[in-house]
């Protein structure tokens, strides 16, 4: 990249951008990769821009049929030793997560269902993970990919803090994450994270494995997101009180889980302020459903009277 | 889905881009800026595949800045356009081509204003007016009909408004607002956002 020339990084034999699939197929071409922050050369083949994660980690199993790959490949040579294992079922990305900013900070909410096709693989998953005291990340997409990238992000943020003595800003965290995800664009990896945090003010940034990185005031991600947007867009205002914001978030997730088959079970709610994040007790949406039915029944009775 | 337009006048270039950042059927953002400032008098407008746009545009942006740092003077718009095209072309036949459509608009102190049209197959054309996106099919004929090389600034903004009104009338997708900027010998000026759609 351009800045490397200014810093006189050694010219790598890497073909372009980050690293080359074909050359990694052969046994071990020892790139002298420099550790991104410390500018030392480490023996372990680590991808420079992924800060120490072993390279073999990053060889996605490339399927042989080029129709699988979204981006056109011209000189495609699959690594000799990685055969793709065909999945027994289609990866489904069912979830409803949302985050929004209001006067009292940031609210992050998500359902807790992990689905695999038509099966509810797990009814009690944590889709919201704290990264540090003032940042949580909501995840959607492929569960395994999200878990991995959350752990990588936690590690990288902690390492930065230890090396530089101050915490990385949320915008920089989003950019770092986006850069780390970039080599996997075009593969089957699917991660859509919303960083919800506080640094000199509430921040909400959406990062996706497609490469999108958007800062905004309200985001909802997942198969249930259109339903959640329907509720959020009507009621959301900056001047909500904390209680109102929490019940709005819960209502939005509830409506989405009601309509979307791939979202459901419980709702997790996190509230982030200048003092850090706090988590509400996990609530079963079944209760919310009966409460809602009762409310509607009462309204109907009131109307009839 | 996305729309870019550029109109060159005698001593200025007027550019506009829509403000929608979309993800399948959802508008994730209504106020997204698709213009990247390469230098004091050059703007790069970039649309296309989600991550590619920002990655490529920021890469070009940083390299243009680096040129200025190394050599003490800025790249001209023509040079920046050719540099951008070269990069697109180099990546085109790699395993990871950038799928982006670009408009580069700039003002050169010696050559005057310039508008360059580039597409994802890395073709480059210097044009008096240009547009990208599905909206281009609807508005290029309007530009053909009403464009004159000696447009004043107000006339160019009116022409732009005509194009946007046509989009509002005939384009099936809702593009509620457009960022508008003007480049002349004084630099880049932000004009009022065009909001002709439903808010």
């Amino acid at each position: 990249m351009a800045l490397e020339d200014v810093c006189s990084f050694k010219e790598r034999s890497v073909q372009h951008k980050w690293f080359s699939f074909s050359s990694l197929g052969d046994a071990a071409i020892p790139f002298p990769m420099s550790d991104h922050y410390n500018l030392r050369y480490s023996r372990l083949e680590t991808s420079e821009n992924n800060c120490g994660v072993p390279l073999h980690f990053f060889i996605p199993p490339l399927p042989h049929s080029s129709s699988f790959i979204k981006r056109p490949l011209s000189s495609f040579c699959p690594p000799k030793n990685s055969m793709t294992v065909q999945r027994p079922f289609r990866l489904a990305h069912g979830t409803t997560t949302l985050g929004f900013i209001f006067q009292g900070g940031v609210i992050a909410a998500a359902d807790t269902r992990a689905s695999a096709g038509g099966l509810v693989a797990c009814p009690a998953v944590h889709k919201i993970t704290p990264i540090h005291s003032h940042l949580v990340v909501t995840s959607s997409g492929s569960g395994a990919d999200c878990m991995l990238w959350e752990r990588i992000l936690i590690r990288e943020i902690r390492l930065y803090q230890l090396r530089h003595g101050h915490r990385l800003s949320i915008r920089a965290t989003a950019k770092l994450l986006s850069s780390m995800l970039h080599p996997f664009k075009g593969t089957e990896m699917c991660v859509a994270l919303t960083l919800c945090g506080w640094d000199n003010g509430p921040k909400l940034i959406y990062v996706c494995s497609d490469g999108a990185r958007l800062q905004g005031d309200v985001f909802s991600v997942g198969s249930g997101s259109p339903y959640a947007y329907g509720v959020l867009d009507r009621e959301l205002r900056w001047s909500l009180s904390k209680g109102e914001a929490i019940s709005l978030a819960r209502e939005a997730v509830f409506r989405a889980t009601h309509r979307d088959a791939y979202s459901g079970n419980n709702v997790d709610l996190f509230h982030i302020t200048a003092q850090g994040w706090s988590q509400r007790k996990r609530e079963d949406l079944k209760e919310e459903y009966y409460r809602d039915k009762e409310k509607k029944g009462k309204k109907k009775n009131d109307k009839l009277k | 889905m996305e729309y870019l337009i550029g109109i060159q006048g005698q001593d200025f270039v007027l550019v506009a881009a829509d403000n929608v950042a979309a993800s399948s059927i959802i508008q994730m953002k209504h106020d997204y800026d698709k213009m990247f400032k390469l230098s004091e008098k050059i703007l790069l407008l970039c649309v296309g595949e989600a991550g590619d746009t920002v990655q490529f545009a920021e890469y070009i942006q940083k390299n243009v800045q680096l040129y200025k740092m190394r050599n003490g003077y800025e790249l001209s718009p023509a040079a920046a356009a050719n540099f951008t095209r070269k990069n697109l072309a180099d990546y085109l036949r790699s395993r990871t081509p950038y799928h982006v459509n670009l408009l580069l608009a700039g003002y050169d102190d010696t050559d005057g204003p310039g508008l360059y049209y580039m597409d994802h197959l890395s073709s480059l054309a210097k044009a008096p007016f240009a547009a990208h996106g599905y909206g281009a099919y609807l508005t290029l004929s309007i530009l053909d009909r009403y464009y004159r090389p000696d447009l004043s600034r107000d006339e160019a903004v009116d022409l732009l408004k005509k194009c946007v009104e046509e989009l509002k009338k005939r384009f099936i997708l809702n593009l509620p607002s457009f960022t508008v900027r003007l480049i002349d010998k004084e630099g880049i000026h932000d004009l009022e956002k065009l909001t002709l759609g439903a808010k």
Side-chain angles (χ1 to χ4, degrees):
Chain A
M1 303 287 265
L3 206 49
E4 284 170 4
D5 294 354
V6 174
C7 303
S8 319
F9 269 35
K10 191 165 168 183
E11 187 61 37
R12 302 187 307 278
S13 55
V14 172
Q15 192 165 349
H16 63 82
K17 282 212 236 169
W18 309 90
F19 61 97
S20 148
F21 290 156
S22 54
S23 61
L24 289 170
D26 311 312
I29 299 177
F31 304 87
M33 290 291 201
S34 68
D35 183 328
H36 186 76
Y37 292 123
N38 291 339
L39 304 181
R40 279 180 291 104
Y41 290 117
S42 56
R43 271 294 107 197
L44 176 65
E45 291 163 48
T46 53
S47 170
E48 170 201 312
N49 296 294
N50 289 290
C51 313
V53 181
L55 259 178
H56 66 265
F57 225 29
F58 283 106
I59 308 175
L62 296 167
H64 284 266
S65 62
S66 53
S67 59
F68 241 172
I69 308 228
K70 286 174 248 176
R71 297 147 78 79
L73 300 177
S74 44
S75 56
F76 171 39
C77 13
K80 301 180 198 84
N81 49 359
S82 86
M83 277 286 296
T84 255
V85 175
Q86 293 300 322
R87 289 194 186 82
F89 48 80
R90 261 194 76 244
L91 266 189
H93 309 310
T95 193
T96 306
T97 71
L98 60 92
F100 61 83
I101 290 181
F102 70 113
Q103 56 81 16
V106 193
I107 297 278
D111 72 310
T112 60
R113 174 177 291 181
S115 54
L119 168 72
V120 175
C122 175
V125 164
H126 293 275
K127 296 191 189 178
I128 312 186
T129 315
I131 303 289
H132 56 68
S133 64
H134 287 71
L135 175 63
V136 307
V137 62
T138 71
S139 58
S140 86
S142 151
D145 288 335
C146 285
M147 266 185 222
L148 170 68
W149 283 103
E150 280 160 11
R151 288 193 67 176
I152 292 177
L153 188 64
I154 293 174
R155 188 196 64 193
E156 291 307 322
I157 298 304
R158 182 74 182 129
L159 279 174
Y160 183 93
Q161 188 177 358
L162 289 169
R163 284 171 175 146
H164 295 83
H166 66 88
R167 195 179 266 163
L168 205 53
S169 71
I170 305 223
R171 286 192 60 162
T173 308
K175 193 146 191 185
L176 176 67
L177 181 61
S178 186
S179 312
M180 290 199 285
L181 291 174
H182 187 73
F184 297 90
K185 194 170 151 82
T187 65
E188 280 199 48
M189 191 181 83
C190 181
V191 196
L193 307 173
T194 315
L195 300 166
C196 317
W198 186 287
D199 66 353
N200 308 325
K203 291 275 189 318
L204 185 63
I205 307 183
Y206 167 71
V207 180
C208 170
S209 56
D210 288 338
R213 179 169 45 91
L214 302 169
Q215 183 172 350
D217 295 330
V218 53
F219 285 114
S220 175
V221 187
S223 55
S225 67
Y227 310 111
Y229 271 123
V231 173
L232 283 174
D233 283 335
R234 277 207 65 81
E235 313 278 330
L236 187 60
R237 286 177 325 275
W238 174 262
S239 54
L240 288 171
S241 73
K242 177 180 164 189
E244 284 171 345
I246 288 179
S247 69
L248 175 64
R250 190 174 47 228
E251 171 98 18
V253 173
F254 165 62
R255 297 279 167 215
T257 57
H258 182 57
R259 282 289 176 182
D260 181 30
Y262 301 110
S263 310
N265 297 105
N266 309 313
V267 59
D268 276 332
L269 263 161
F270 276 68
H271 179 216
I272 305 104
T273 59
Q275 280 71 45
W277 60 260
S278 60
Q279 181 179 8
R280 277 180 68 88
K281 191 157 166 289
R282 176 172 278 195
E283 291 166 45
D284 194 338
L285 286 169
K286 194 172 51 180
E287 316 293 326
E288 180 76 20
Y289 173 73
Y290 288 120
R291 265 204 300 271
D292 186 59
K293 226 170 111 173
E294 210 185 284
K295 229 191 306 174
K296 286 209 175 111
K298 214 174 90 165
K299 252 197 219 163
K300 203 166 133 197
N301 286 339
D302 286 343
K303 263 194 187 165
L304 287 175
K305 276 188 195 154
Chain B
M1 312 284 179
E2 304 175 286
Y3 182 67
L4 299 178
I5 181 173
I7 303 173
Q8 179 190 328
Q10 279 238 283
D11 57 351
F12 66 91
V13 190
L14 181 71
V15 288
D18 71 289
N19 285 333
V20 170
S23 171
S24 83
I25 60 163
I26 305 268
Q27 283 185 17
M28 305 275 304
K29 269 190 84 128
H30 313 286
D31 55 359
Y32 185 62
D33 191 0
K34 299 183 184 175
M35 305 194 192
F36 295 83
K37 184 173 150 183
L38 298 190
S39 76
E40 288 310 311
K41 296 185 190 172
I42 307 181
L43 268 181
L44 181 69
L45 287 76
C46 191
V47 291
E49 208 177 309
D52 286 352
T53 49
V54 177
Q55 286 282 119
F56 185 72
E58 283 190 349
Y59 178 65
I60 300 296
Q61 193 180 40
K62 303 311 171 200
N63 270 293
V64 169
Q65 290 300 309
L66 181 63
Y67 185 93
K68 182 179 174 190
M69 278 181 227
R70 277 184 171 151
N71 301 290
Y73 58 89
E74 290 185 335
L75 271 173
S76 68
N82 279 288
F83 170 71
T84 309
R85 190 213 68 82
K86 179 81 168 66
N87 269 288
L88 262 178
D90 286 340
Y91 280 105
L92 184 63
R93 287 172 195 268
S94 72
R95 251 175 277 107
T96 50
Y98 285 111
H99 196 282
V100 290
N101 293 315
L102 309 163
L103 282 182
L104 192 142
Y107 189 92
D108 193 9
D109 290 322
T110 36
D111 296 328
L115 177 67
Y116 296 87
Y117 171 99
M118 267 172 279
D119 75 357
H120 66 278
L121 297 170
S122 76
S123 60
L124 170 68
K126 186 173 190 303
F129 56 86
H132 272 299
Y134 286 124
Y137 289 99
L138 295 165
T139 52
L140 277 173
S141 52
I142 299 178
L143 290 165
D144 282 327
R145 170 100 173 68
Y146 293 106
Y147 176 81
R148 286 181 344 264
D150 58 350
L151 283 173
S152 75
R153 281 148 218 257
D154 291 327
E155 284 169 343
V157 174
D158 281 336
L159 181 53
L160 177 65
K161 281 195 180 136
K162 280 199 185 77
C163 293
V164 169
E165 269 162 22
E166 177 65 16
L167 284 185
K168 184 184 167 211
K169 189 166 176 207
R170 290 288 181 184
F171 192 37
I172 51 166
L173 296 186
N174 179 34
L175 295 175
S177 72
F178 295 81
T179 312
V180 185
R181 292 203 165 101
L182 186 122
I183 311 178
D184 62 10
K185 68 174 177 354
E186 255 100 61
I188 302 174
H189 311 280
D190 282 347
L191 297 183
E192 214 183 275
K193 255 195 195 175
L194 278 180
T195 44
L196 297 180
K199 284 234 173 81

